[in-house]
Amino acid sequence: MAAGLKTVILLSFVLAVGFLLIILSCALWHNWLPLLVALTFVLAPLPNALFSHCGADDFAGSYEGGGPVDLGRFITSVVVVTGFALPIVLAHSSVITTGACAMSIIGGGLVYGTILAYSAAFKQDDSEFD
């Protein structure tokens, strides 16, 4: 399925709403610590993208996820869990309010979901015969 212009427009709108929620969670309560959530969710796909090409072997009959690929997935999952847990910990310790916590979690989920949807929609197959 080829991703078209409507897909790009929808993903950019969802990404803008996600960043808006994160920035509003900071600006409305005059505390800029929830902005760290945006940083964690933007950096979350990076280890998976870097390590995804380390385990591929041209002569292997089937795909076996090697150690580097699993390490990249593990680091990605740790960063994603940190992005969801950081606002909860900050709200529990009364550093941010629960409203800022909820807005930053929802905004961070939208940002990370948009990054995943973009990478899935525009993934290129490595086929020589197409």
Side-chain angles (χ1 to χ4, degrees), residues 98-120:
T98 56
C101 174
M103 288 177 72
S104 65
I105 287 175
I106 293 170
L110 287 174
V111 168
Y112 186 66
T114 302
I115 292 170
L116 285 180
Y118 180 82
S119 63

Side-chain angles (χ1 to χ4, degrees), residues 7 20 27 31 42 48 56-57 60 63 74-75 77 82-83 85 117 122-123:
T7 306
L20 177 70
N31 191 351
V42 167
N48 200 13
D57 185 12
Y63 175 75
F74 177 74
I75 294 172
S77 65
T82 301
F122 294 101
K123 184 176 182 178

